[in-house]
Amino acid sequence: MRQRLFKLTKFFIKCDRNSYALLHRRPEAIYLGMQNLNNLRQSNQSLQVKLRQIKQILALVVFGRQILWTRPGIRTEIKNRLKIKV
Protein backbone atom coordinates (compact mmCIF):
# COMPACT_ATOMS: atom_id res chain seq x y z
CA MET A 1 0.00 0.00 0.00
CA ARG A 2 2.82 2.34 0.89
CA GLN A 3 4.63 1.73 -2.41
CA ARG A 4 1.41 2.32 -4.34
CA LEU A 5 0.88 5.61 -2.53
CA PHE A 6 4.49 6.58 -3.29
CA LYS A 7 4.03 5.86 -7.03
CA LEU A 8 0.77 7.81 -7.08
CA THR A 9 2.44 10.77 -5.36
CA LYS A 10 5.31 10.62 -7.82
CA PHE A 11 2.83 10.57 -10.72
CA PHE A 12 1.00 13.66 -9.41
CA ILE A 13 4.27 15.52 -8.89
CA LYS A 14 5.24 14.80 -12.51
CA CYS A 15 1.83 15.98 -13.68
CA ASP A 16 2.21 19.18 -11.67
CA ARG A 17 5.69 19.89 -13.05
CA ASN A 18 4.61 19.21 -16.62
CA SER A 19 1.55 21.43 -16.35
CA TYR A 20 3.65 24.20 -14.81
CA ALA A 21 6.28 23.90 -17.55
CA LEU A 22 3.52 24.04 -20.15
CA LEU A 23 1.48 26.91 -18.73
CA HIS A 24 3.72 29.25 -16.73
CA ARG A 25 4.62 31.45 -19.73
CA ARG A 26 1.23 31.39 -21.40
CA PRO A 27 -0.06 34.68 -19.94
CA GLU A 28 2.97 36.50 -21.40
CA ALA A 29 2.42 34.90 -24.78
CA ILE A 30 -1.28 35.78 -24.73
CA TYR A 31 -0.53 39.39 -23.79
CA LEU A 32 2.11 39.66 -26.52
CA GLY A 33 -0.32 38.19 -29.04
CA MET A 34 -2.96 40.74 -28.02
CA GLN A 35 -0.48 43.60 -28.44
CA ASN A 36 0.49 42.35 -31.91
CA LEU A 37 -3.17 42.05 -32.86
CA ASN A 38 -3.84 45.63 -31.75
CA ASN A 39 -0.84 46.86 -33.75
CA LEU A 40 -2.11 45.05 -36.84
CA ARG A 41 -5.57 46.58 -36.39
CA GLN A 42 -4.09 50.07 -36.18
CA SER A 43 -1.97 49.64 -39.30
CA ASN A 44 -4.94 48.07 -41.07
CA GLN A 45 -7.07 51.13 -40.27
CA SER A 46 -4.51 53.50 -41.78
CA LEU A 47 -4.27 51.30 -44.88
CA GLN A 48 -8.05 51.31 -45.20
CA VAL A 49 -8.06 55.12 -45.13
CA LYS A 50 -5.41 55.24 -47.87
CA LEU A 51 -7.33 52.69 -49.94
CA ARG A 52 -10.53 54.73 -49.59
CA GLN A 53 -8.66 57.84 -50.77
CA ILE A 54 -7.24 56.00 -53.79
CA LYS A 55 -10.72 54.72 -54.68
CA GLN A 56 -12.10 58.26 -54.47
CA ILE A 57 -9.32 59.57 -56.72
CA LEU A 58 -9.93 56.82 -59.27
CA ALA A 59 -13.67 57.50 -59.18
CA LEU A 60 -12.99 61.18 -59.89
CA VAL A 61 -10.68 60.30 -62.78
CA VAL A 62 -13.27 57.97 -64.30
CA PHE A 63 -16.00 60.57 -63.80
CA GLY A 64 -13.93 63.30 -65.44
CA ARG A 65 -13.07 61.01 -68.32
CA GLN A 66 -16.74 60.16 -68.84
CA ILE A 67 -17.65 63.83 -68.90
CA LEU A 68 -14.90 64.68 -71.39
CA TRP A 69 -15.59 61.80 -73.75
CA THR A 70 -19.40 62.03 -73.73
CA ARG A 71 -19.69 65.73 -74.51
CA PRO A 72 -20.23 66.29 -78.23
CA GLY A 73 -17.31 67.87 -80.00
CA ILE A 74 -14.85 67.57 -77.10
CA ARG A 75 -13.23 64.42 -78.43
CA THR A 76 -12.45 65.92 -81.82
CA GLU A 77 -11.29 69.16 -80.23
CA ILE A 78 -8.83 67.29 -78.00
CA LYS A 79 -7.60 65.21 -80.92
CA ASN A 80 -7.06 68.36 -82.99
CA ARG A 81 -5.09 69.99 -80.17
CA LEU A 82 -2.90 66.91 -79.82
CA LYS A 83 -2.21 66.89 -83.55
CA ILE A 84 -1.20 70.53 -83.51
CA LYS A 85 1.26 70.05 -80.63
CA VAL A 86 2.99 67.08 -82.26
Side-chain angles (χ1 to χ4, degrees), residues 48-79:
Q48 285 179 347
V49 169
K50 290 178 184 178
L51 181 62
R52 192 177 320 120
Q53 291 172 343
I54 290 171
K55 285 181 179 180
Q56 289 173 344
I57 291 169
L58 288 175
L60 285 172
V61 168
V62 169
F63 180 68
R65 191 168 177 230
Q66 287 174 345
I67 289 175
L68 283 176
W69 292 111
T70 56
R71 285 181 56 193
I74 290 289
R75 190 179 314 167
T76 56
E77 186 179 322
I78 291 173
K79 284 182 182 178

mmCIF file of all heavy atoms in Angstrom, residues 48-79:
data_model
loop_
_atom_site.group_PDB
_atom_site.id
_atom_site.type_symbol
_atom_site.label_atom_id
_atom_site.label_comp_id
_atom_site.label_asym_id
_atom_site.label_seq_id
_atom_site.Cartn_x
_atom_site.Cartn_y
_atom_site.Cartn_z
ATOM 1 N N GLN A 48 -6.690 51.176 -44.691
ATOM 2 C CA GLN A 48 -8.052 51.311 -45.201
ATOM 3 C C GLN A 48 -8.362 52.759 -45.580
ATOM 4 O O GLN A 48 -9.034 53.009 -46.580
ATOM 5 C CB GLN A 48 -9.060 50.802 -44.176
ATOM 6 C CG GLN A 48 -9.113 49.294 -44.088
ATOM 7 C CD GLN A 48 -10.107 48.810 -43.048
ATOM 8 O OE1 GLN A 48 -10.595 49.582 -42.225
ATOM 9 N NE2 GLN A 48 -10.400 47.520 -43.074
ATOM 10 N N VAL A 49 -7.863 53.703 -44.806
ATOM 11 C CA VAL A 49 -8.062 55.118 -45.130
ATOM 12 C C VAL A 49 -7.370 55.454 -46.454
ATOM 13 O O VAL A 49 -7.952 56.101 -47.323
ATOM 14 C CB VAL A 49 -7.531 56.022 -43.987
ATOM 15 C CG1 VAL A 49 -7.482 57.474 -44.414
ATOM 16 C CG2 VAL A 49 -8.391 55.846 -42.743
ATOM 17 N N LYS A 50 -6.141 54.982 -46.619
ATOM 18 C CA LYS A 50 -5.415 55.236 -47.869
ATOM 19 C C LYS A 50 -6.115 54.583 -49.055
ATOM 20 O O LYS A 50 -6.217 55.185 -50.135
ATOM 21 C CB LYS A 50 -3.980 54.726 -47.765
ATOM 22 C CG LYS A 50 -3.123 55.541 -46.835
ATOM 23 C CD LYS A 50 -1.725 54.972 -46.717
ATOM 24 C CE LYS A 50 -0.909 55.766 -45.703
ATOM 25 N NZ LYS A 50 0.429 55.212 -45.528
ATOM 26 N N LEU A 51 -6.618 53.374 -48.867
ATOM 27 C CA LEU A 51 -7.333 52.689 -49.937
ATOM 28 C C LEU A 51 -8.603 53.445 -50.317
ATOM 29 O O LEU A 51 -8.916 53.587 -51.499
ATOM 30 C CB LEU A 51 -7.681 51.257 -49.509
ATOM 31 C CG LEU A 51 -8.402 50.400 -50.527
ATOM 32 C CD1 LEU A 51 -7.543 50.206 -51.774
ATOM 33 C CD2 LEU A 51 -8.771 49.055 -49.913
ATOM 34 N N ARG A 52 -9.320 53.942 -49.317
ATOM 35 C CA ARG A 52 -10.526 54.731 -49.588
ATOM 36 C C ARG A 52 -10.182 55.989 -50.383
ATOM 37 O O ARG A 52 -10.888 56.360 -51.332
ATOM 38 C CB ARG A 52 -11.205 55.101 -48.270
ATOM 39 C CG ARG A 52 -12.596 55.672 -48.451
ATOM 40 C CD ARG A 52 -13.302 55.981 -47.140
ATOM 41 N NE ARG A 52 -13.096 54.984 -46.102
ATOM 42 C CZ ARG A 52 -12.537 55.244 -44.912
ATOM 43 N NH1 ARG A 52 -12.126 56.460 -44.619
ATOM 44 N NH2 ARG A 52 -12.377 54.304 -44.013
ATOM 45 N N GLN A 53 -9.074 56.644 -50.037
ATOM 46 C CA GLN A 53 -8.659 57.843 -50.770
ATOM 47 C C GLN A 53 -8.300 57.514 -52.217
ATOM 48 O O GLN A 53 -8.662 58.247 -53.137
ATOM 49 C CB GLN A 53 -7.466 58.496 -50.070
ATOM 50 C CG GLN A 53 -7.815 59.125 -48.741
ATOM 51 C CD GLN A 53 -6.589 59.586 -47.982
ATOM 52 O OE1 GLN A 53 -5.465 59.189 -48.276
ATOM 53 N NE2 GLN A 53 -6.805 60.427 -46.971
ATOM 54 N N ILE A 54 -7.612 56.409 -52.425
ATOM 55 C CA ILE A 54 -7.242 56.000 -53.786
ATOM 56 C C ILE A 54 -8.497 55.693 -54.593
ATOM 57 O O ILE A 54 -8.609 56.079 -55.769
ATOM 58 C CB ILE A 54 -6.286 54.792 -53.747
ATOM 59 C CG1 ILE A 54 -4.926 55.243 -53.211
ATOM 60 C CG2 ILE A 54 -6.137 54.155 -55.112
ATOM 61 C CD1 ILE A 54 -3.962 54.109 -52.932
ATOM 62 N N LYS A 55 -9.469 55.017 -53.973
ATOM 63 C CA LYS A 55 -10.721 54.720 -54.676
ATOM 64 C C LYS A 55 -11.455 56.006 -55.067
ATOM 65 O O LYS A 55 -12.013 56.103 -56.159
ATOM 66 C CB LYS A 55 -11.625 53.849 -53.805
ATOM 67 C CG LYS A 55 -11.191 52.403 -53.731
ATOM 68 C CD LYS A 55 -12.160 51.598 -52.878
ATOM 69 C CE LYS A 55 -11.772 50.140 -52.802
ATOM 70 N NZ LYS A 55 -12.709 49.352 -51.979
ATOM 71 N N GLN A 56 -11.447 56.984 -54.173
ATOM 72 C CA GLN A 56 -12.096 58.258 -54.474
ATOM 73 C C GLN A 56 -11.395 58.967 -55.631
ATOM 74 O O GLN A 56 -12.046 59.523 -56.525
ATOM 75 C CB GLN A 56 -12.114 59.161 -53.236
ATOM 76 C CG GLN A 56 -13.060 58.685 -52.160
ATOM 77 C CD GLN A 56 -12.933 59.492 -50.875
ATOM 78 O OE1 GLN A 56 -11.953 60.219 -50.672
ATOM 79 N NE2 GLN A 56 -13.913 59.349 -49.999
ATOM 80 N N ILE A 57 -10.077 58.942 -55.633
ATOM 81 C CA ILE A 57 -9.317 59.574 -56.716
ATOM 82 C C ILE A 57 -9.627 58.886 -58.040
ATOM 83 O O ILE A 57 -9.871 59.545 -59.058
ATOM 84 C CB ILE A 57 -7.806 59.541 -56.412
ATOM 85 C CG1 ILE A 57 -7.488 60.484 -55.244
ATOM 86 C CG2 ILE A 57 -6.984 59.897 -57.637
ATOM 87 C CD1 ILE A 57 -6.086 60.329 -54.694
ATOM 88 N N LEU A 58 -9.629 57.554 -58.043
ATOM 89 C CA LEU A 58 -9.931 56.822 -59.274
ATOM 90 C C LEU A 58 -11.349 57.093 -59.744
ATOM 91 O O LEU A 58 -11.602 57.223 -60.949
ATOM 92 C CB LEU A 58 -9.718 55.325 -59.068
ATOM 93 C CG LEU A 58 -8.270 54.873 -58.964
ATOM 94 C CD1 LEU A 58 -8.199 53.390 -58.638
ATOM 95 C CD2 LEU A 58 -7.516 55.169 -60.245
ATOM 96 N N ALA A 59 -12.286 57.194 -58.815
ATOM 97 C CA ALA A 59 -13.667 57.497 -59.184
ATOM 98 C C ALA A 59 -13.750 58.877 -59.830
ATOM 99 O O ALA A 59 -14.475 59.069 -60.818
ATOM 100 C CB ALA A 59 -14.583 57.412 -57.964
ATOM 101 N N LEU A 60 -12.997 59.841 -59.297
ATOM 102 C CA LEU A 60 -12.991 61.182 -59.888
ATOM 103 C C LEU A 60 -12.374 61.170 -61.289
ATOM 104 O O LEU A 60 -12.855 61.843 -62.199
ATOM 105 C CB LEU A 60 -12.225 62.161 -59.000
ATOM 106 C CG LEU A 60 -12.951 62.617 -57.743
ATOM 107 C CD1 LEU A 60 -12.003 63.435 -56.863
ATOM 108 C CD2 LEU A 60 -14.179 63.419 -58.094
ATOM 109 N N VAL A 61 -11.319 60.394 -61.468
ATOM 110 C CA VAL A 61 -10.681 60.298 -62.780
ATOM 111 C C VAL A 61 -11.643 59.691 -63.787
ATOM 112 O O VAL A 61 -11.799 60.200 -64.906
ATOM 113 C CB VAL A 61 -9.369 59.468 -62.683
ATOM 114 C CG1 VAL A 61 -8.855 59.097 -64.056
ATOM 115 C CG2 VAL A 61 -8.319 60.236 -61.900
ATOM 116 N N VAL A 62 -12.310 58.615 -63.393
ATOM 117 C CA VAL A 62 -13.270 57.972 -64.297
ATOM 118 C C VAL A 62 -14.420 58.914 -64.599
ATOM 119 O O VAL A 62 -14.859 59.026 -65.750
ATOM 120 C CB VAL A 62 -13.778 56.647 -63.676
ATOM 121 C CG1 VAL A 62 -14.964 56.096 -64.435
ATOM 122 C CG2 VAL A 62 -12.659 55.632 -63.638
ATOM 123 N N PHE A 63 -14.904 59.618 -63.598
ATOM 124 C CA PHE A 63 -16.003 60.566 -63.800
ATOM 125 C C PHE A 63 -15.590 61.679 -64.759
ATOM 126 O O PHE A 63 -16.322 62.031 -65.689
ATOM 127 C CB PHE A 63 -16.432 61.143 -62.449
ATOM 128 C CG PHE A 63 -17.559 62.122 -62.536
ATOM 129 C CD1 PHE A 63 -18.820 61.701 -62.907
ATOM 130 C CD2 PHE A 63 -17.350 63.458 -62.236
ATOM 131 C CE1 PHE A 63 -19.862 62.607 -62.983
ATOM 132 C CE2 PHE A 63 -18.376 64.367 -62.311
ATOM 133 C CZ PHE A 63 -19.651 63.939 -62.685
ATOM 134 N N GLY A 64 -14.410 62.233 -64.542
ATOM 135 C CA GLY A 64 -13.929 63.300 -65.436
ATOM 136 C C GLY A 64 -13.753 62.794 -66.853
ATOM 137 O O GLY A 64 -14.075 63.494 -67.819
ATOM 138 N N ARG A 65 -13.262 61.592 -66.984
ATOM 139 C CA ARG A 65 -13.073 61.010 -68.315
ATOM 140 C C ARG A 65 -14.416 60.806 -69.007
ATOM 141 O O ARG A 65 -14.551 61.072 -70.210
ATOM 142 C CB ARG A 65 -12.337 59.686 -68.166
ATOM 143 C CG ARG A 65 -11.867 59.122 -69.457
ATOM 144 C CD ARG A 65 -10.906 57.990 -69.208
ATOM 145 N NE ARG A 65 -10.525 57.431 -70.490
ATOM 146 C CZ ARG A 65 -10.562 56.156 -70.784
ATOM 147 N NH1 ARG A 65 -10.936 55.287 -69.872
ATOM 148 N NH2 ARG A 65 -10.214 55.724 -71.961
ATOM 149 N N GLN A 66 -15.413 60.349 -68.260
ATOM 150 C CA GLN A 66 -16.740 60.164 -68.842
ATOM 151 C C GLN A 66 -17.320 61.494 -69.312
ATOM 152 O O GLN A 66 -17.921 61.581 -70.376
ATOM 153 C CB GLN A 66 -17.687 59.515 -67.825
ATOM 154 C CG GLN A 66 -17.426 58.056 -67.582
ATOM 155 C CD GLN A 66 -18.289 57.491 -66.467
ATOM 156 O OE1 GLN A 66 -18.893 58.236 -65.695
ATOM 157 N NE2 GLN A 66 -18.323 56.173 -66.364
ATOM 158 N N ILE A 67 -17.125 62.519 -68.513
ATOM 159 C CA ILE A 67 -17.649 63.833 -68.899
ATOM 160 C C ILE A 67 -16.957 64.319 -70.164
ATOM 161 O O ILE A 67 -17.607 64.806 -71.096
ATOM 162 C CB ILE A 67 -17.455 64.855 -67.753
ATOM 163 C CG1 ILE A 67 -18.407 64.528 -66.607
ATOM 164 C CG2 ILE A 67 -17.689 66.273 -68.240
ATOM 165 C CD1 ILE A 67 -18.212 65.387 -65.386
ATOM 166 N N LEU A 68 -15.640 64.202 -70.215
ATOM 167 C CA LEU A 68 -14.900 64.681 -71.389
ATOM 168 C C LEU A 68 -15.262 63.916 -72.653
ATOM 169 O O LEU A 68 -15.406 64.502 -73.718
ATOM 170 C CB LEU A 68 -13.389 64.577 -71.139
ATOM 171 C CG LEU A 68 -12.793 65.645 -70.241
ATOM 172 C CD1 LEU A 68 -11.325 65.360 -70.014
ATOM 173 C CD2 LEU A 68 -12.970 67.025 -70.852
ATOM 174 N N TRP A 69 -15.399 62.611 -72.552
ATOM 175 C CA TRP A 69 -15.594 61.801 -73.753
ATOM 176 C C TRP A 69 -17.053 61.685 -74.165
ATOM 177 O O TRP A 69 -17.346 61.228 -75.257
ATOM 178 C CB TRP A 69 -14.996 60.411 -73.580
ATOM 179 C CG TRP A 69 -13.502 60.476 -73.513
ATOM 180 C CD1 TRP A 69 -12.738 60.226 -72.448
ATOM 181 C CD2 TRP A 69 -12.610 60.855 -74.560
ATOM 182 N NE1 TRP A 69 -11.410 60.416 -72.736
ATOM 183 C CE2 TRP A 69 -11.300 60.794 -74.039
ATOM 184 C CE3 TRP A 69 -12.777 61.240 -75.895
ATOM 185 C CZ2 TRP A 69 -10.178 61.102 -74.794
ATOM 186 C CZ3 TRP A 69 -11.654 61.530 -76.637
ATOM 187 C CH2 TRP A 69 -10.371 61.470 -76.099
ATOM 188 N N THR A 70 -17.988 62.115 -73.334
ATOM 189 C CA THR A 70 -19.396 62.032 -73.729
ATOM 190 C C THR A 70 -19.934 63.362 -74.232
ATOM 191 O O THR A 70 -20.981 63.388 -74.859
ATOM 192 C CB THR A 70 -20.274 61.555 -72.548
ATOM 193 O OG1 THR A 70 -20.090 62.420 -71.440
ATOM 194 C CG2 THR A 70 -19.944 60.128 -72.177
ATOM 195 N N ARG A 71 -19.229 64.437 -73.992
ATOM 196 C CA ARG A 71 -19.690 65.728 -74.509
ATOM 197 C C ARG A 71 -19.424 65.795 -76.006
ATOM 198 O O ARG A 71 -18.344 65.435 -76.475
ATOM 199 C CB ARG A 71 -18.945 66.878 -73.810
ATOM 200 C CG ARG A 71 -19.450 67.092 -72.396
ATOM 201 C CD ARG A 71 -18.765 68.219 -71.715
ATOM 202 N NE ARG A 71 -18.861 69.469 -72.448
ATOM 203 C CZ ARG A 71 -18.137 70.535 -72.183
ATOM 204 N NH1 ARG A 71 -17.267 70.508 -71.204
ATOM 205 N NH2 ARG A 71 -18.271 71.634 -72.871
ATOM 206 N N PRO A 72 -20.427 66.222 -76.769
ATOM 207 C CA PRO A 72 -20.226 66.292 -78.226
ATOM 208 C C PRO A 72 -19.168 67.328 -78.594
ATOM 209 O O PRO A 72 -19.141 68.431 -78.069
ATOM 210 C CB PRO A 72 -21.604 66.699 -78.763
ATOM 211 C CG PRO A 72 -22.383 67.181 -77.597
ATOM 212 C CD PRO A 72 -21.736 66.654 -76.367
ATOM 213 N N GLY A 73 -18.317 66.957 -79.498
ATOM 214 C CA GLY A 73 -17.306 67.874 -80.003
ATOM 215 C C GLY A 73 -16.025 67.919 -79.186
ATOM 216 O O GLY A 73 -14.994 68.360 -79.679
ATOM 217 N N ILE A 74 -16.051 67.496 -77.951
ATOM 218 C CA ILE A 74 -14.855 67.566 -77.098
ATOM 219 C C ILE A 74 -13.784 66.602 -77.602
ATOM 220 O O ILE A 74 -12.600 66.936 -77.654
ATOM 221 C CB ILE A 74 -15.210 67.254 -75.630
ATOM 222 C CG1 ILE A 74 -16.037 68.368 -75.029
ATOM 223 C CG2 ILE A 74 -13.978 66.994 -74.797
ATOM 224 C CD1 ILE A 74 -15.271 69.644 -74.790
ATOM 225 N N ARG A 75 -14.201 65.423 -77.993
ATOM 226 C CA ARG A 75 -13.234 64.416 -78.433
ATOM 227 C C ARG A 75 -12.456 64.907 -79.653
ATOM 228 O O ARG A 75 -11.235 64.825 -79.705
ATOM 229 C CB ARG A 75 -13.959 63.110 -78.747
ATOM 230 C CG ARG A 75 -13.016 61.966 -78.980
ATOM 231 C CD ARG A 75 -13.737 60.675 -79.267
ATOM 232 N NE ARG A 75 -14.831 60.479 -78.321
ATOM 233 C CZ ARG A 75 -15.784 59.588 -78.465
ATOM 234 N NH1 ARG A 75 -15.788 58.786 -79.500
ATOM 235 N NH2 ARG A 75 -16.731 59.461 -77.581
ATOM 236 N N THR A 76 -13.144 65.437 -80.615
ATOM 237 C CA THR A 76 -12.447 65.916 -81.817
ATOM 238 C C THR A 76 -11.596 67.137 -81.503
ATOM 239 O O THR A 76 -10.506 67.293 -82.058
ATOM 240 C CB THR A 76 -13.462 66.256 -82.934
ATOM 241 O OG1 THR A 76 -14.406 67.201 -82.435
ATOM 242 C CG2 THR A 76 -14.175 65.018 -83.415
ATOM 243 N N GLU A 77 -12.063 67.981 -80.609
ATOM 244 C CA GLU A 77 -11.286 69.156 -80.226
ATOM 245 C C GLU A 77 -9.974 68.748 -79.555
ATOM 246 O O GLU A 77 -8.914 69.297 -79.854
ATOM 247 C CB GLU A 77 -12.114 70.035 -79.279
ATOM 248 C CG GLU A 77 -11.457 71.353 -78.927
ATOM 249 C CD GLU A 77 -12.335 72.197 -78.015
ATOM 250 O OE1 GLU A 77 -13.565 72.207 -78.196
ATOM 251 O OE2 GLU A 77 -11.755 72.834 -77.123
ATOM 252 N N ILE A 78 -10.039 67.766 -78.675
ATOM 253 C CA ILE A 78 -8.829 67.293 -77.997
ATOM 254 C C ILE A 78 -7.884 66.645 -79.001
ATOM 255 O O ILE A 78 -6.669 66.866 -78.975
ATOM 256 C CB ILE A 78 -9.197 66.319 -76.853
ATOM 257 C CG1 ILE A 78 -9.895 67.084 -75.732
ATOM 258 C CG2 ILE A 78 -7.965 65.613 -76.312
ATOM 259 C CD1 ILE A 78 -10.445 66.203 -74.631
ATOM 260 N N LYS A 79 -8.440 65.858 -79.912
ATOM 261 C CA LYS A 79 -7.599 65.209 -80.921
ATOM 262 C C LYS A 79 -6.916 66.256 -81.799
ATOM 263 O O LYS A 79 -5.739 66.126 -82.158
ATOM 264 C CB LYS A 79 -8.434 64.258 -81.783
ATOM 265 C CG LYS A 79 -8.787 62.973 -81.083
ATOM 266 C CD LYS A 79 -9.579 62.070 -82.008
ATOM 267 C CE LYS A 79 -9.977 60.790 -81.309
ATOM 268 N NZ LYS A 79 -10.785 59.928 -82.179
#
